[in-house]
Amino acid sequence: MKKLLLLILIAISGLVFYECNQKSGALDAEALKMDIVSLIASDTKVDNAVESSSYETDLYSLGSNSIAGFSSGNLKSAELGGGSFFRTMFDHFPKFKLHFRKGIAPDMTVTTTNGGYPKTIVIDYGDSTQLANGRVLSGKITIVLSAAPFTWGSTQTITYTNFCNDSVCTSGKAVKTRTKDPQIKFSESADLTITLADGTIVHRVEDKARTWTSGSATEFDPSDDVIEITGKVVVSDSKKNSYSKIITSPLIKTGECRFISKGIIEYKNSFGKFATVDYGNGTCDNTATRTTQDGTTTITLGRQGKSS
């Protein structure tokens, strides 16, 4: 009789544990102030814009020596190489020209200390500068380099001012530090405020690592750039959603693709994991898969660009 009673108690305990877990899973959604499907759709848009913007800063930082070698002071944009600086630059880096729709690049101001470092690069996209992959950039990015970007311990301090990548507008700072890894790798910390088209304000604290697996040796050539991104992000927004994201399989960003093309992100809140986003197998397309407790669905990340 005692043995039977013990078995019954164990069974009841197991049932209660199961029901608690089920309730906890349901609370994952309840702990958020908007439905998970809408939240993930918005967040993936932000992720892709942030990584696209971060790549823009890489493009100029890693080519800073060549920029200084061609000129200093105000460097005005030019259509199809129609200005002295960019004509010369396009002659040497024709694939840089192809990064922009119709070859129209942003204006730049380069300031150095006695011709060396620290070096400040201000990239001014004006009201609208369109990339070949269809993204439209506006506003300014300021990059302060403490030393040559590949030097161990060198930093790139990046400030976004009224900067928008399509309808995702960013302000705040990021710092990339060259690590001592044998690969070309940078640790990255960022504190960013994102404003979306609907007025939602998103605060992101990022702790990432960016490893250039291809393309770091070819300045201003987006065609061979491949960057592997790992780390985590803590997010809160004006709709009172709070959650964190961990990259469980490295994200892949290439120089020419409009979107992240590979990698997996897990979303968590105080109740545990509530969603996963998988960007696929590396093919450059505008879709990803979203998995929640309700199943797996396809996300459309945005429109495909001209050469996305």
Side-chain angles (χ1 to χ4, degrees):
M1 185 66 181
K2 289 182 178 179
K3 186 174 182 180
L4 177 60
L5 181 59
L6 179 60
L7 289 173
I8 292 172
L9 288 173
I10 291 172
I12 291 172
S13 297
L15 180 60
V16 170
F17 179 77
Y18 174 78
E19 288 178 347
C20 286
N21 275 353
Q22 291 297 95
K23 289 179 181 178
S24 178
L27 284 171
D28 287 347
E30 293 172 5
L32 301 169
K33 304 302 180 181
M34 62 190 292
D35 68 275
I36 292 176
V37 169
S38 299
L39 184 146
I40 299 299
S42 176
D43 190 79
T44 53
K45 184 177 182 179
V46 172
D47 267 343
N48 278 278
V50 166
E51 292 306 334
S52 171
S53 303
S54 185
Y55 172 71
E56 282 293 302
T57 71
D58 289 340
L59 186 64
Y60 292 93
S61 294
L62 301 191
S64 59
N65 285 333
S66 290
I67 290 174
F70 282 107
S71 184
S72 63
N74 293 323
L75 310 175
K76 295 297 182 181
S77 66
E79 185 171 353
L80 301 175
S84 60
F85 170 74
F86 278 103
R87 181 173 61 248
T88 303
M89 192 148 183
F90 286 157
D91 287 344
H92 286 79
F93 304 107
K95 291 184 179 179
F96 177 64
K97 172 182 176 179
L98 298 177
H99 181 60
F100 303 99
R101 183 69 58 89
K102 297 182 180 180
I104 303 175
D107 294 344
M108 286 190 289
T109 300
V110 180
T111 305
T112 66
T113 302
N114 298 322
Y117 293 91
K119 182 180 296 180
T120 301
I121 303 171
V122 179
I123 311 162
D124 188 349
Y125 294 91
D127 293 333
S128 176
T129 297
Q130 191 166 13
L131 304 183
N133 65 20
R135 287 194 176 275
V136 178
L137 310 182
S138 61
K140 293 182 180 181
I141 299 175
T142 301
I143 307 168
V144 178
L145 298 109
S146 67
F150 294 127
T151 305
W152 288 353
S154 64
T155 60
Q156 306 164 35
T157 302
I158 300 146
T159 303
Y160 297 95
T161 305
N162 298 322
F163 177 78
C164 296
N165 191 321
D166 292 334
S167 61
V168 178
C169 296
T170 304
S171 62
K173 289 188 177 182
V175 178
K176 299 177 183 179
T177 304
R178 173 71 166 96
T179 69
K180 291 187 176 182
D181 295 84
Q183 290 179 290
I184 302 300
K185 185 174 182 178
F186 300 88
S187 63
E188 179 181 13
S189 61
D191 192 326
L192 305 176
T193 299
I194 309 291
T195 303
L196 304 181
D198 66 0
T200 302
I201 298 174
V202 181
H203 181 224
R204 293 168 58 102
V205 177
E206 304 185 357
D207 182 10
K208 296 179 180 176
R210 303 173 65 82
T211 302
W212 280 68
T213 60
S214 175
S216 62
T218 51
E219 294 180 352
F220 297 109
D221 181 0
S223 67
D224 63 354
D225 291 346
V226 181
I227 304 167
E228 183 181 276
I229 303 151
T230 57
K232 62 181 180 181
V233 182
V234 177
V235 183
S236 60
D237 65 30
S238 58
K239 294 182 178 179
K240 299 185 179 180
N241 297 295
S242 296
Y243 52 95
S244 62
K245 309 190 305 180
I246 298 175
I247 301 170
T248 58
S249 178
L251 304 180
I252 299 298
K253 177 74 180 77
T254 65
E256 294 187 319
C257 189
R258 180 184 174 94
F259 306 105
I260 297 166
S261 59
K262 189 177 181 179
I264 299 173
I265 298 176
E266 285 189 355
Y267 288 72
K268 295 183 177 181
N269 60 15
S270 57
F271 293 95
K273 184 174 76 171
F274 64 87
T276 300
V277 169
D278 187 338
Y279 282 98
N281 61 6
T283 301
C284 181
D285 57 33
N286 66 338
T287 62
T289 57
R290 168 186 52 219
T291 300
T292 69
Q293 62 185 11
D294 295 323
T296 299
T297 54
T298 299
I299 308 172
T300 300
L301 302 172
R303 63 182 179 82
Q304 290 275 38
K306 179 181 177 182
S307 61
S308 59

